[in-house]
Structure formats: structure tokens, C-alpha cells
Amino acid sequence: MAWSGVRVYYAGDFDPEGLLIAQKLKQYYRGDFIFWHMTRQDYEKAMSKETISERRIKMLEKITEPRLLPAVERMREEKKAGYQEKLIGLYTD
């Protein structure tokens, strides 16, 4: 745990912008930081029908956080955004 004793949990959208925000937050906060439901498997469950443009797919090259890379790779394959709302059962069960 961080020296402050605070553990941060973050769950964001599976799109280039959302993953960039997640990465920036992790870089900013040096303490104990948990990407909550942001795995490749979570992305597959959260996937929508919204296609990500090639311009936005290119933004994924900026993601270097190892824990996000499996979801990024799958997103490159599918070219679909994913949203945490589709995972609501994981939060309420």
C-alpha cells in the first residue's frame, strides 16, 4: 500500500481515450493502484458495437502500461469500444 495508506481502484472505458486516462492516472499516482475490471476478458464482456476509427486505434500506440496491454491488443483486433456499464453485474453480484 502507498505511504498514505490509500489504495486507488480505477475502472474506465475501453476506448483509446479511456485507456490513456487510466495510464495517466497510474503514472500520476505512485501508490497502490488497481486497474479494476480492465483486463482483456473484461474488455470482451464490455465490448459494444461502436467501431473505433483507425485514427483512434493509432492512439493505442501510446499505451505502455503492461497491465493494460492485453486489452489494448484485443481492442486492436476487434476495433470496438467497450464500456464499464456492460459490466454492472460484476459490481453488484
Side-chain angles (χ1 to χ4, degrees):
M1 221 175 278
W3 63 268
S4 65
V6 174
R7 176 177 289 149
V8 173
Y9 290 83
Y10 178 80
D13 287 334
F14 291 100
D15 59 19
E17 298 83 1
L19 293 175
L20 283 168
I21 289 168
Q23 179 171 271
K24 286 178 184 175
L25 286 171
K26 168 63 177 102
Q27 290 168 345
Y28 176 76
Y29 183 73
R30 300 287 180 190
D32 196 8
F33 191 95
I34 308 297
F35 292 106
W36 187 251
H37 292 295
M38 295 193 71
T39 66
R40 176 187 175 113
Q41 294 81 8
D42 292 317
Y43 165 68
E44 290 170 348
K45 293 174 189 170
M47 197 182 321
S48 72
K49 295 178 182 177
E50 180 189 332
T51 301
I52 301 171
S53 71
E54 286 303 318
R55 179 187 64 79
R56 290 175 68 213
I57 290 289
K58 185 124 177 86
M59 293 169 63
L60 294 173
E61 293 174 7
K62 296 178 182 176
I63 306 295
T64 58
E65 168 57 46
R67 292 178 287 171
L68 296 176
L69 290 178
V72 167
E73 290 305 316
R74 188 73 174 127
M75 195 178 304
R76 282 189 178 122
E77 294 168 4
E78 294 293 334
K79 298 184 175 134
K80 301 284 184 193
Y83 298 102
Q84 288 287 329
E85 300 89 86
K86 293 188 84 175
L87 302 177
I88 192 72
L90 297 174
Y91 296 108
T92 59
D93 292 342

